[in-house]
Amino acid sequence: MQASRARLFKEYKEVQREKAVDPDIQLVCDESNIFKWTALVKGPSETPYEGGVFQLAFSVPEQYPLQPPQVRFLTKIFHPNVHFKTGEICLDILKNAWSPAWTLQSVCRAIIALMAHPEPDSPLNCDSGNLLRSGDVRGYQSMARMYTRLAAMSKKG
Amino acid sequence: MQSKEAVVDDGEITSSLNVANSEFDEWNNFGDDDIMQQQYTIQADEAKKVPFVGDKETLSSLAAEYKSGSPILLEKIKVLEEQYAAIRRTRGDGNCFFRSFMFSYLEHIMECQDQAEIDRIQPNIEKSRKALQTLGYADLTFEDFFALFLEQLECVIQGKETSISHEELVIRSRDQSISDYVVMFFRFVTSGEIQMRAEFFEPFILGLTNTTVEQFCKSSVEPMGEESDHVHITALSDALGIPIRVVYLDRSSCDTGGVSVNHHDFMPVAGDLPNASCSSERNIPFITLLYRPGHYDILYPK
Protein backbone atom coordinates (compact mmCIF):
# COMPACT_ATOMS: atom_id res chain seq x y z
CA MET A 1 0.00 0.00 0.00
CA GLN A 2 2.75 2.39 1.04
CA ALA A 3 4.90 1.37 -1.92
CA SER A 4 2.10 1.77 -4.43
CA ARG A 5 1.24 5.21 -3.05
CA ALA A 6 4.86 6.33 -3.31
CA ARG A 7 5.13 5.03 -6.85
CA LEU A 8 1.87 6.70 -7.93
CA PHE A 9 3.01 9.97 -6.41
CA LYS A 10 6.18 9.81 -8.52
CA GLU A 11 4.09 9.13 -11.60
CA TYR A 12 1.87 12.07 -10.68
CA LYS A 13 4.87 14.39 -10.56
CA GLU A 14 6.19 12.98 -13.83
CA VAL A 15 2.82 13.55 -15.52
CA GLN A 16 2.83 17.20 -14.42
CA ARG A 17 6.35 17.65 -15.76
CA GLU A 18 5.73 15.90 -19.09
CA LYS A 19 2.39 17.44 -19.97
CA ALA A 20 3.79 19.19 -23.03
CA VAL A 21 5.67 16.14 -24.31
CA ASP A 22 2.58 14.02 -24.97
CA PRO A 23 -0.15 16.36 -26.17
CA ASP A 24 -2.31 13.36 -27.15
CA ILE A 25 -2.64 12.21 -23.55
CA GLN A 26 -4.15 14.08 -20.67
CA LEU A 27 -3.85 12.01 -17.52
CA VAL A 28 -5.58 13.26 -14.39
CA CYS A 29 -5.56 11.88 -10.87
CA ASP A 30 -8.72 11.94 -8.77
CA GLU A 31 -8.38 14.78 -6.27
CA SER A 32 -9.23 12.69 -3.26
CA ASN A 33 -7.95 9.23 -4.27
CA ILE A 34 -4.55 8.56 -5.83
CA PHE A 35 -5.73 5.06 -6.86
CA LYS A 36 -8.31 6.50 -9.26
CA TRP A 37 -7.25 8.20 -12.48
CA THR A 38 -8.90 9.23 -15.71
CA ALA A 39 -7.30 9.96 -19.06
CA LEU A 40 -8.36 11.72 -22.21
CA VAL A 41 -6.60 10.31 -25.27
CA LYS A 42 -6.81 11.60 -28.81
CA GLY A 43 -7.75 9.11 -31.51
CA PRO A 44 -4.65 8.50 -33.66
CA SER A 45 -4.54 10.17 -37.05
CA GLU A 46 -5.29 8.17 -40.19
CA THR A 47 -7.56 5.87 -38.22
CA PRO A 48 -11.35 5.92 -37.91
CA TYR A 49 -10.81 7.35 -34.42
CA GLU A 50 -9.10 10.52 -35.70
CA GLY A 51 -10.69 13.67 -34.36
CA GLY A 52 -12.22 11.88 -31.40
CA VAL A 53 -11.29 12.26 -27.74
CA PHE A 54 -11.71 9.11 -25.67
CA GLN A 55 -12.02 8.93 -21.93
CA LEU A 56 -10.34 6.09 -20.01
CA ALA A 57 -10.90 5.13 -16.38
CA PHE A 58 -8.02 3.73 -14.33
CA SER A 59 -8.46 1.79 -11.13
CA VAL A 60 -5.10 1.05 -9.53
CA PRO A 61 -4.76 -1.97 -7.18
CA GLU A 62 -2.92 -1.80 -3.87
CA GLN A 63 -0.33 -4.23 -5.25
CA TYR A 64 0.62 -1.75 -7.99
CA PRO A 65 3.11 -1.74 -9.69
CA LEU A 66 3.48 -5.50 -9.22
CA GLN A 67 -0.09 -5.83 -10.50
CA PRO A 68 -1.48 -3.92 -13.49
CA PRO A 69 -4.03 -1.11 -13.27
CA GLN A 70 -7.56 -1.90 -14.46
CA VAL A 71 -8.35 0.29 -17.42
CA ARG A 72 -11.51 0.67 -19.46
CA PHE A 73 -12.98 3.02 -22.01
CA LEU A 74 -15.69 5.29 -20.65
CA THR A 75 -16.31 6.64 -24.15
CA LYS A 76 -18.12 4.23 -26.45
CA ILE A 77 -15.76 2.86 -29.09
CA PHE A 78 -16.13 0.34 -31.92
CA HIS A 79 -12.87 -1.61 -31.82
CA PRO A 80 -12.14 -5.36 -32.01
CA ASN A 81 -10.26 -5.39 -28.70
CA VAL A 82 -12.63 -3.25 -26.64
CA HIS A 83 -15.84 -4.63 -25.15
CA PHE A 84 -18.69 -2.67 -26.72
CA LYS A 85 -20.77 -2.56 -23.54
CA THR A 86 -18.28 -2.42 -20.70
CA GLY A 87 -15.32 -0.68 -22.35
CA GLU A 88 -13.03 -3.46 -21.12
CA ILE A 89 -9.76 -3.63 -23.07
CA CYS A 90 -8.03 -6.77 -24.30
CA LEU A 91 -4.37 -5.85 -24.16
CA ASP A 92 -1.63 -8.24 -23.01
CA ILE A 93 0.23 -5.64 -20.93
CA LEU A 94 -2.89 -5.13 -18.83
CA LYS A 95 -3.01 -8.86 -18.16
CA ASN A 96 -0.22 -11.44 -18.09
CA ALA A 97 2.45 -9.35 -19.84
CA TRP A 98 2.25 -6.56 -17.28
CA SER A 99 5.46 -5.45 -15.59
CA PRO A 100 6.41 -2.51 -13.38
CA ALA A 101 8.39 -1.13 -16.32
CA TRP A 102 5.06 0.27 -17.52
CA THR A 103 3.50 3.44 -16.14
CA LEU A 104 -0.02 4.82 -16.39
CA GLN A 105 1.30 7.20 -19.03
CA SER A 106 2.93 4.46 -21.12
CA VAL A 107 -0.24 2.35 -20.77
CA CYS A 108 -2.11 5.25 -22.42
CA ARG A 109 0.44 5.19 -25.22
CA ALA A 110 -0.04 1.45 -25.63
CA ILE A 111 -3.81 1.92 -25.83
CA ILE A 112 -3.40 4.56 -28.54
CA ALA A 113 -1.17 2.10 -30.41
CA LEU A 114 -3.86 -0.57 -30.03
CA MET A 115 -6.43 1.84 -31.50
CA ALA A 116 -4.21 2.25 -34.55
CA HIS A 117 -3.38 -1.44 -34.81
CA PRO A 118 -6.36 -3.60 -33.83
CA GLU A 119 -5.78 -7.31 -33.30
CA PRO A 120 -8.89 -8.95 -34.71
CA ASP A 121 -7.70 -12.45 -33.77
CA SER A 122 -8.35 -11.88 -30.07
CA PRO A 123 -11.57 -9.89 -30.20
CA LEU A 124 -13.69 -8.63 -27.32
CA ASN A 125 -16.02 -7.06 -29.87
CA CYS A 126 -16.69 -9.90 -32.29
CA ASP A 127 -18.73 -7.88 -34.76
CA SER A 128 -15.84 -5.54 -35.17
CA GLY A 129 -13.32 -8.38 -35.24
CA ASN A 130 -15.31 -10.33 -37.83
CA LEU A 131 -15.46 -7.38 -40.19
CA LEU A 132 -11.67 -7.13 -40.16
CA ARG A 133 -11.14 -10.85 -40.27
CA SER A 134 -13.35 -11.19 -43.32
CA GLY A 135 -11.38 -8.42 -44.99
CA ASP A 136 -14.14 -5.82 -44.86
CA VAL A 137 -11.85 -2.96 -43.85
CA ARG A 138 -14.25 -0.41 -45.26
CA GLY A 139 -17.15 -1.77 -43.20
CA TYR A 140 -15.06 -1.73 -40.03
CA GLN A 141 -13.82 1.79 -40.68
CA SER A 142 -17.25 3.25 -41.36
CA MET A 143 -18.73 1.69 -38.23
CA ALA A 144 -15.77 2.85 -36.12
CA ARG A 145 -15.93 6.33 -37.63
CA MET A 146 -19.66 6.57 -36.97
CA TYR A 147 -19.23 5.75 -33.30
CA THR A 148 -16.30 8.15 -33.06
CA ARG A 149 -18.60 10.92 -34.36
CA LEU A 150 -21.48 9.88 -32.12
CA ALA A 151 -19.57 9.39 -28.90
CA ALA A 152 -16.11 10.92 -29.05
CA MET A 153 -16.56 14.31 -30.72
CA SER A 154 -17.98 17.44 -29.23
CA LYS A 155 -21.48 18.21 -30.53
CA LYS A 156 -20.50 21.75 -31.58
CA GLY A 157 -17.97 20.56 -34.19
CA MET B 1 -18.72 -22.71 -9.65
CA GLN B 2 -17.39 -25.26 -12.08
CA SER B 3 -17.80 -22.94 -15.04
CA LYS B 4 -15.66 -20.34 -13.29
CA GLU B 5 -12.83 -22.79 -12.92
CA ALA B 6 -13.05 -23.66 -16.58
CA VAL B 7 -12.70 -20.02 -17.46
CA VAL B 8 -9.53 -19.71 -15.45
CA ASP B 9 -8.08 -22.90 -16.93
CA ASP B 10 -8.38 -21.69 -20.46
CA GLY B 11 -7.42 -18.11 -19.75
CA GLU B 12 -7.81 -15.78 -22.66
CA ILE B 13 -9.37 -18.20 -25.08
CA THR B 14 -12.56 -18.44 -23.08
CA SER B 15 -12.62 -14.73 -22.38
CA SER B 16 -13.31 -14.11 -26.05
CA LEU B 17 -15.73 -17.03 -26.12
CA ASN B 18 -17.85 -15.45 -23.43
CA VAL B 19 -18.86 -12.73 -25.84
CA ALA B 20 -19.09 -14.99 -28.86
CA ASN B 21 -21.33 -17.57 -27.31
CA SER B 22 -24.61 -16.17 -26.07
CA GLU B 23 -25.43 -19.61 -24.72
CA PHE B 24 -23.33 -18.87 -21.66
CA ASP B 25 -25.25 -15.84 -20.54
CA GLU B 26 -23.75 -15.58 -17.10
CA TRP B 27 -20.29 -15.37 -18.67
CA ASN B 28 -21.21 -12.11 -20.29
CA ASN B 29 -20.78 -10.47 -16.94
CA PHE B 30 -17.58 -12.33 -16.22
CA GLY B 31 -14.80 -10.18 -17.64
CA ASP B 32 -11.02 -10.42 -17.76
CA ASP B 33 -10.82 -8.44 -14.54
CA ASP B 34 -12.81 -11.11 -12.74
CA ILE B 35 -10.51 -13.75 -14.15
CA MET B 36 -7.47 -11.82 -12.94
CA GLN B 37 -9.06 -11.40 -9.51
CA GLN B 38 -9.78 -15.10 -9.34
CA GLN B 39 -6.24 -15.87 -10.37
CA TYR B 40 -4.94 -13.71 -7.53
CA THR B 41 -7.26 -15.54 -5.12
CA ILE B 42 -5.96 -18.89 -6.31
CA GLN B 43 -2.40 -17.64 -5.88
CA ALA B 44 -3.23 -16.48 -2.36
CA ASP B 45 -4.67 -19.92 -1.52
CA GLU B 46 -1.56 -21.55 -2.95
CA ALA B 47 0.54 -19.21 -0.85
CA LYS B 48 -0.92 -20.65 2.33
CA LYS B 49 0.34 -24.10 1.32
CA VAL B 50 3.92 -23.33 0.20
CA PRO B 51 5.82 -20.26 1.36
CA PHE B 52 7.91 -18.31 -1.17
CA VAL B 53 10.95 -19.83 0.53
CA GLY B 54 10.63 -22.98 2.64
CA ASP B 55 12.56 -24.34 5.61
CA LYS B 56 15.78 -26.31 5.24
CA GLU B 57 15.00 -30.00 4.73
CA THR B 58 17.11 -33.11 4.41
CA LEU B 59 17.42 -34.71 1.01
CA SER B 60 15.45 -37.70 2.25
CA SER B 61 12.36 -35.48 1.93
CA LEU B 62 13.20 -35.22 -1.74
CA ALA B 63 13.52 -38.99 -2.04
CA ALA B 64 10.13 -39.38 -0.37
CA GLU B 65 8.55 -37.47 -3.26
CA TYR B 66 9.75 -40.09 -5.73
CA LYS B 67 9.11 -43.18 -3.60
CA SER B 68 6.99 -44.84 -6.24
CA GLY B 69 8.61 -42.99 -9.12
CA SER B 70 11.50 -43.50 -11.47
CA PRO B 71 14.35 -45.64 -10.05
CA ILE B 72 16.86 -43.47 -11.94
CA LEU B 73 15.74 -40.44 -9.94
CA LEU B 74 16.04 -42.32 -6.66
CA GLU B 75 19.55 -43.42 -7.64
CA LYS B 76 20.45 -39.85 -8.46
CA ILE B 77 19.09 -38.54 -5.17
CA LYS B 78 21.37 -41.04 -3.42
CA VAL B 79 24.30 -39.54 -5.31
CA LEU B 80 23.15 -36.06 -4.33
CA GLU B 81 22.96 -37.07 -0.68
CA GLU B 82 26.68 -37.79 -0.74
CA GLN B 83 27.50 -34.24 -1.78
CA TYR B 84 24.68 -32.15 -0.43
CA ALA B 85 23.41 -31.75 3.11
CA ALA B 86 20.07 -30.09 2.62
CA ILE B 87 17.51 -28.60 0.28
CA ARG B 88 15.40 -25.48 0.69
CA ARG B 89 12.32 -25.42 -1.48
CA THR B 90 10.81 -22.37 -3.16
CA ARG B 91 7.29 -21.87 -4.40
CA GLY B 92 6.63 -22.89 -7.99
CA ASP B 93 5.15 -19.58 -9.07
CA GLY B 94 7.38 -18.88 -12.05
CA ASN B 95 9.72 -16.80 -9.89
CA CYS B 96 11.50 -19.76 -8.29
CA PHE B 97 14.87 -19.18 -9.98
CA PHE B 98 15.07 -15.53 -8.95
CA ARG B 99 13.68 -16.29 -5.50
CA SER B 100 16.17 -19.13 -4.91
CA PHE B 101 18.98 -16.91 -6.13
CA MET B 102 17.88 -14.08 -3.83
CA PHE B 103 17.78 -16.18 -0.69
CA SER B 104 20.92 -18.11 -1.45
CA TYR B 105 22.87 -14.94 -2.17
CA LEU B 106 21.73 -12.96 0.86
CA GLU B 107 22.20 -15.97 3.12
CA HIS B 108 25.75 -16.41 1.84
CA ILE B 109 26.64 -12.79 2.60
CA MET B 110 25.06 -13.09 6.02
CA GLU B 111 26.85 -16.29 6.95
CA CYS B 112 30.25 -15.14 5.74
CA GLN B 113 29.68 -11.50 6.70
CA ASP B 114 31.09 -10.92 3.25
CA GLN B 115 31.41 -7.12 3.13
CA ALA B 116 33.94 -7.55 0.33
CA GLU B 117 31.22 -9.12 -1.83
CA ILE B 118 28.89 -6.19 -1.17
CA ASP B 119 31.66 -3.79 -2.18
CA ARG B 120 32.28 -5.88 -5.29
CA ILE B 121 28.66 -6.09 -6.42
CA GLN B 122 27.72 -2.45 -5.90
CA PRO B 123 29.48 -1.11 -9.02
CA ASN B 124 27.75 -3.85 -11.02
CA ILE B 125 24.37 -2.75 -9.70
CA GLU B 126 25.17 0.83 -10.68
CA LYS B 127 26.16 -0.44 -14.13
CA SER B 128 22.74 -2.08 -14.41
CA ARG B 129 21.05 1.13 -13.39
CA LYS B 130 22.95 3.02 -16.12
CA ALA B 131 22.09 0.31 -18.64
CA LEU B 132 18.38 0.69 -17.98
CA GLN B 133 18.66 4.46 -18.27
CA THR B 134 20.54 4.07 -21.56
CA LEU B 135 17.82 1.74 -22.81
CA GLY B 136 15.26 4.44 -22.11
CA TYR B 137 13.65 3.17 -18.93
CA ALA B 138 12.33 5.94 -16.70
CA ASP B 139 14.04 5.94 -13.30
CA LEU B 140 10.74 5.88 -11.46
CA THR B 141 9.89 2.50 -12.98
CA PHE B 142 12.86 0.65 -11.46
CA GLU B 143 14.45 2.75 -8.71
CA ASP B 144 12.23 1.44 -5.88
CA PHE B 145 13.28 -2.11 -6.67
CA PHE B 146 16.97 -1.19 -6.74
CA ALA B 147 16.68 0.71 -3.44
CA LEU B 148 14.95 -2.18 -1.72
CA PHE B 149 17.62 -4.69 -2.77
CA LEU B 150 20.46 -2.41 -1.67
CA GLU B 151 18.69 -2.09 1.67
CA GLN B 152 18.59 -5.89 2.05
CA LEU B 153 22.33 -6.08 1.28
CA GLU B 154 23.04 -3.65 4.11
CA CYS B 155 20.79 -5.48 6.56
CA VAL B 156 22.54 -8.85 6.36
CA ILE B 157 25.80 -7.38 7.65
CA GLN B 158 25.77 -7.54 11.43
CA GLY B 159 26.59 -4.85 13.95
CA LYS B 160 24.48 -2.10 12.46
CA GLU B 161 21.24 -0.53 13.56
CA THR B 162 19.50 -2.06 10.57
CA SER B 163 21.04 -5.54 10.97
CA ILE B 164 18.70 -8.50 10.83
CA SER B 165 18.94 -12.08 12.08
CA HIS B 166 18.82 -15.19 9.91
CA GLU B 167 15.31 -15.76 11.17
CA GLU B 168 14.34 -12.29 9.99
CA LEU B 169 15.93 -12.98 6.59
CA VAL B 170 13.63 -16.00 6.22
CA ILE B 171 10.62 -13.92 7.28
CA ARG B 172 11.48 -11.18 4.79
CA SER B 173 11.93 -13.61 1.95
CA ARG B 174 8.41 -14.84 2.68
CA ASP B 175 7.00 -11.32 2.85
CA GLN B 176 5.59 -10.44 -0.55
CA SER B 177 6.27 -6.73 -0.22
CA ILE B 178 10.00 -7.44 0.11
CA SER B 179 10.45 -10.76 -1.66
CA ASP B 180 8.60 -9.80 -4.85
CA TYR B 181 10.41 -6.47 -4.99
CA VAL B 182 13.79 -8.21 -4.89
CA VAL B 183 12.64 -10.68 -7.56
CA MET B 184 11.58 -7.72 -9.68
CA PHE B 185 14.96 -6.08 -9.12
CA PHE B 186 16.65 -9.17 -10.57
CA ARG B 187 14.21 -9.16 -13.48
CA PHE B 188 15.17 -5.57 -14.31
CA VAL B 189 18.89 -6.37 -14.05
CA THR B 190 18.43 -9.44 -16.27
CA SER B 191 16.43 -7.54 -18.86
CA GLY B 192 18.95 -4.70 -18.97
CA GLU B 193 21.87 -7.11 -19.45
CA ILE B 194 20.14 -9.02 -22.26
CA GLN B 195 19.25 -5.86 -24.15
CA MET B 196 22.68 -4.27 -23.72
CA ARG B 197 24.24 -7.43 -25.18
CA ALA B 198 21.46 -8.11 -27.64
CA GLU B 199 23.79 -9.45 -30.31
CA PHE B 200 25.18 -12.08 -27.96
CA PHE B 201 21.79 -13.20 -26.65
CA GLU B 202 19.84 -13.00 -29.90
CA PRO B 203 20.62 -16.50 -31.25
CA PHE B 204 19.69 -18.10 -27.90
CA ILE B 205 16.44 -16.15 -27.75
CA LEU B 206 15.56 -17.06 -31.34
CA GLY B 207 16.05 -20.69 -30.34
CA LEU B 208 13.54 -20.28 -27.53
CA THR B 209 10.75 -18.08 -28.83
CA ASN B 210 11.29 -16.63 -32.29
CA THR B 211 10.81 -13.04 -31.11
CA THR B 212 13.03 -9.99 -31.04
CA VAL B 213 15.34 -9.49 -28.07
CA GLU B 214 13.31 -6.52 -26.85
CA GLN B 215 10.03 -8.39 -27.20
CA PHE B 216 11.50 -11.35 -25.31
CA CYS B 217 12.49 -9.08 -22.42
CA LYS B 218 9.07 -7.42 -22.39
CA SER B 219 7.15 -10.68 -22.41
CA SER B 220 9.42 -13.29 -20.80
CA VAL B 221 11.80 -11.48 -18.46
CA GLU B 222 10.12 -8.42 -16.98
CA PRO B 223 6.64 -9.74 -16.09
CA MET B 224 6.46 -11.44 -12.68
CA GLY B 225 5.76 -15.16 -12.85
CA GLU B 226 7.53 -15.71 -16.18
CA GLU B 227 9.79 -18.72 -15.83
CA SER B 228 13.54 -18.52 -16.22
CA ASP B 229 15.65 -20.31 -18.75
CA HIS B 230 19.39 -20.52 -19.36
CA VAL B 231 19.21 -17.09 -21.04
CA HIS B 232 17.96 -15.46 -17.82
CA ILE B 233 20.52 -17.28 -15.68
CA THR B 234 23.43 -16.40 -17.96
CA ALA B 235 22.36 -12.74 -18.08
CA LEU B 236 21.90 -12.37 -14.32
CA SER B 237 25.14 -14.16 -13.56
CA ASP B 238 27.03 -11.95 -16.04
CA ALA B 239 25.40 -8.69 -14.98
CA LEU B 240 26.13 -9.12 -11.28
CA GLY B 241 29.33 -11.16 -11.74
CA ILE B 242 28.08 -14.04 -9.62
CA PRO B 243 28.76 -17.67 -10.59
CA ILE B 244 25.79 -20.02 -10.24
CA ARG B 245 25.89 -23.82 -10.12
CA VAL B 246 22.81 -25.63 -11.38
CA VAL B 247 22.48 -29.32 -10.54
CA TYR B 248 20.17 -31.22 -12.86
CA LEU B 249 17.86 -33.85 -11.49
CA ASP B 250 16.09 -35.45 -14.41
CA ARG B 251 15.58 -38.89 -15.85
CA SER B 252 18.49 -38.81 -18.23
CA SER B 253 21.09 -41.50 -17.73
CA CYS B 254 24.40 -42.34 -19.29
CA ASP B 255 25.23 -45.65 -20.93
CA THR B 256 28.40 -46.24 -18.99
CA GLY B 257 26.53 -47.91 -16.19
CA GLY B 258 26.86 -45.91 -13.02
CA VAL B 259 24.42 -43.09 -12.35
CA SER B 260 25.87 -39.60 -12.13
CA VAL B 261 24.25 -36.22 -11.58
CA ASN B 262 25.12 -33.49 -14.05
CA HIS B 263 25.70 -29.93 -13.12
CA HIS B 264 26.47 -26.79 -15.04
CA ASP B 265 28.36 -23.78 -13.72
CA PHE B 266 27.28 -20.43 -15.07
CA MET B 267 30.48 -18.42 -14.93
CA PRO B 268 30.23 -14.68 -15.45
CA VAL B 269 32.23 -13.19 -18.29
CA ALA B 270 33.49 -10.34 -16.15
CA GLY B 271 36.85 -10.71 -14.40
CA ASP B 272 36.23 -9.86 -10.76
CA LEU B 273 34.69 -12.95 -9.24
CA PRO B 274 33.50 -13.20 -5.66
CA ASN B 275 35.05 -15.61 -3.19
CA ALA B 276 33.56 -19.05 -3.00
CA SER B 277 31.89 -20.11 0.23
CA CYS B 278 33.69 -18.46 3.12
CA SER B 279 37.08 -19.60 1.97
CA SER B 280 39.40 -17.83 -0.40
CA GLU B 281 38.71 -20.20 -3.27
CA ARG B 282 37.60 -18.27 -6.31
CA ASN B 283 35.64 -19.45 -9.32
CA ILE B 284 33.59 -22.00 -7.44
CA PRO B 285 29.97 -20.91 -7.24
CA PHE B 286 28.60 -20.34 -3.75
CA ILE B 287 25.09 -20.48 -5.12
CA THR B 288 23.90 -23.99 -5.89
CA LEU B 289 20.44 -24.58 -7.26
CA LEU B 290 18.69 -27.87 -7.88
CA TYR B 291 16.90 -27.95 -11.20
CA ARG B 292 14.05 -30.32 -11.86
CA PRO B 293 12.29 -29.77 -15.18
CA GLY B 294 10.30 -26.57 -14.62
CA HIS B 295 11.52 -25.74 -11.13
CA TYR B 296 14.49 -24.50 -9.08
CA ASP B 297 15.22 -25.07 -5.37
CA ILE B 298 18.26 -24.25 -3.23
CA LEU B 299 20.89 -26.90 -2.41
CA TYR B 300 23.35 -26.82 0.48
CA PRO B 301 26.73 -28.54 -0.16
CA LYS B 302 28.22 -30.56 2.68
Side-chain angles (χ1 to χ4, degrees):
Chain A
M1 185 85 171
Q2 207 55 43
S4 54
R5 221 174 255 287
R7 161 76 179 237
L8 284 168
F9 190 65
K10 283 184 199 171
E11 291 199 29
Y12 177 79
K13 284 200 287 189
E14 188 72 10
V15 165
Q16 304 310 312
R17 204 178 320 145
E18 295 233 330
K19 256 182 184 157
V21 182
D22 244 330
D24 295 345
I25 301 166
Q26 200 185 325
L27 192 57
V28 185
C29 176
D30 187 301
E31 277 173 20
S32 59
N33 185 353
I34 200 166
F35 293 96
K36 301 277 179 217
W37 296 61
T38 53
L40 293 173
V41 300
K42 284 188 188 158
S45 57
E46 287 170 48
T47 72
Y49 311 106
E50 183 171 8
V53 176
F54 297 82
Q55 195 176 14
L56 302 167
F58 285 75
S59 176
V60 184
E62 285 176 16
Q63 297 292 324
Y64 186 81
L66 288 175
Q67 284 177 11
Q70 290 177 19
V71 192
R72 60 189 190 91
F73 274 89
L74 292 179
T75 309
K76 177 101 25 216
I77 179 170
F78 186 80
H79 185 286
N81 310 108
V82 182
H83 194 289
F84 194 63
K85 284 184 185 148
T86 64
E88 187 187 333
I89 303 164
C90 181
L91 182 58
D92 58 350
I93 60 148
L94 294 175
K95 310 275 148 54
N96 51 0
W98 168 261
S99 91
W102 293 91
T103 62
L104 301 184
Q105 182 88 11
S106 63
V107 165
C108 288
R109 258 178 255 136
I111 290 172
I112 292 175
L114 182 70
M115 288 164 83
H117 304 282
E119 294 192 24
D121 288 336
S122 57
L124 264 179
N125 179 340
C126 290
D127 295 328
S128 175
N130 284 339
L131 282 173
L132 276 179
R133 270 196 288 196
S134 62
D136 189 356
V137 176
R138 198 191 235 183
Y140 153 74
Q141 287 187 336
S142 68
M143 285 289 281
R145 200 173 295 122
M146 181 184 83
Y147 279 106
T148 303
R149 285 228 181 127
L150 285 176
M153 288 184 180
S154 70
K155 299 287 181 285
K156 282 171 274 171
Chain B
M1 207 55 214
Q2 215 172 0
S3 68
K4 281 192 181 180
E5 275 165 22
V7 172
V8 171
D9 279 347
D10 293 321
E12 286 190 11
I13 302 160
T14 33
S15 72
S16 58
L17 256 182
N18 73 25
V19 188
N21 212 330
S22 57
E23 200 185 318
F24 301 104
D25 265 349
E26 72 271 35
W27 285 14
N28 274 330
N29 302 320
F30 196 78
D32 279 9
D33 292 338
D34 301 292
I35 295 168
M36 297 272 287
Q37 281 314 317
Q38 184 152 25
Q39 231 166 26
Y40 295 144
T41 316
I42 292 169
Q43 280 166 4
D45 286 347
E46 234 8 70
K48 286 173 204 146
K49 289 180 220 155
V50 192
F52 284 140
V53 176
D55 291 323
K56 238 182 190 179
E57 296 172 66
T58 59
L59 285 178
S60 57
S61 78
L62 191 59
E65 263 183 65
Y66 296 100
K67 226 170 19 196
S68 50
S70 153
I72 297 174
L73 288 176
L74 287 171
E75 282 296 314
K76 285 192 175 182
I77 292 170
K78 268 190 204 144
V79 175
L80 284 178
E81 277 180 314
E82 288 163 18
Q83 299 167 46
Y84 298 96
I87 178 175
R88 191 188 288 273
R89 294 166 199 268
T90 59
R91 190 187 299 167
D93 61 358
N95 300 311
C96 54
F97 163 70
F98 290 113
R99 194 104 53 195
S100 299
F101 179 85
M102 163 189 80
F103 190 84
S104 198
Y105 183 69
L106 291 174
E107 189 182 42
H108 160 81
I109 295 180
M110 178 175 264
E111 286 187 345
C112 302
Q113 287 299 296
D114 197 346
Q115 180 64 46
E117 169 57 16
I118 296 183
D119 298 340
R120 189 200 63 81
I121 197 181
Q122 260 161 350
N124 291 350
I125 293 173
E126 288 318 303
K127 227 173 102 190
S128 282
R129 189 193 299 277
K130 293 243 162 58
L132 290 169
Q133 287 166 341
T134 308
L135 291 163
Y137 288 71
D139 279 43
L140 72 90
T141 60
F142 60 80
E143 62 193 7
D144 293 346
F145 304 96
F146 274 61
L148 197 110
F149 178 69
L150 290 170
E151 215 176 277
Q152 304 316 307
L153 273 184
E154 290 302 315
C155 292
V156 292
I157 295 292
Q158 300 305 300
K160 297 182 194 171
E161 242 176 76
T162 51
S163 298
I164 59 168
S165 62
H166 187 275
E167 199 185 346
E168 176 66 19
L169 178 64
V170 174
I171 292 170
R172 285 189 179 191
S173 59
R174 290 174 185 172
D175 174 351
Q176 190 179 21
S177 66
I178 296 172
S179 201
D180 275 359
Y181 266 62
V182 176
V183 167
M184 197 55 226
F185 161 75
F186 290 135
R187 287 186 179 277
F188 271 119
V189 169
T190 304
S191 180
E193 178 75 13
I194 292 174
Q195 292 178 77
M196 289 303 273
R197 290 165 60 217
E199 254 175 63
F200 171 79
F201 283 106
E202 193 172 28
F204 300 102
I205 289 169
L206 284 176
L208 283 175
T209 63
N210 201 23
T211 56
T212 65
V213 171
E214 197 194 341
Q215 196 51 46
F216 174 79
C217 288
K218 287 263 170 290
S219 62
S220 305
V221 181
E222 290 170 11
M224 287 294 283
E226 284 295 323
E227 287 179 14
S228 297
D229 225 306
H230 62 100
V231 170
H232 304 70
I233 304 176
T234 305
L236 185 66
S237 169
D238 285 352
L240 297 178
I242 301 169
I244 303 168
R245 173 166 295 180
V246 176
V247 178
Y248 294 88
L249 180 59
D250 54 23
R251 247 174 281 192
S252 65
S253 61
C254 39
D255 310 326
T256 49
V259 173
S260 64
V261 181
N262 301 325
H263 71 257
H264 179 77
D265 289 347
F266 290 83
M267 301 304 289
V269 283
D272 60 329
L273 293 173
N275 292 339
S277 64
C278 299
S279 74
S280 58
E281 249 182 305
R282 279 171 187 265
N283 295 351
I284 297 176
F286 56 74
I287 291 176
T288 308
L289 306 180
L290 176 68
Y291 176 75
R292 288 177 280 165
H295 188 66
Y296 294 88
D297 293 303
I298 303 165
L299 274 182
Y300 291 88
K302 278 187 176 164

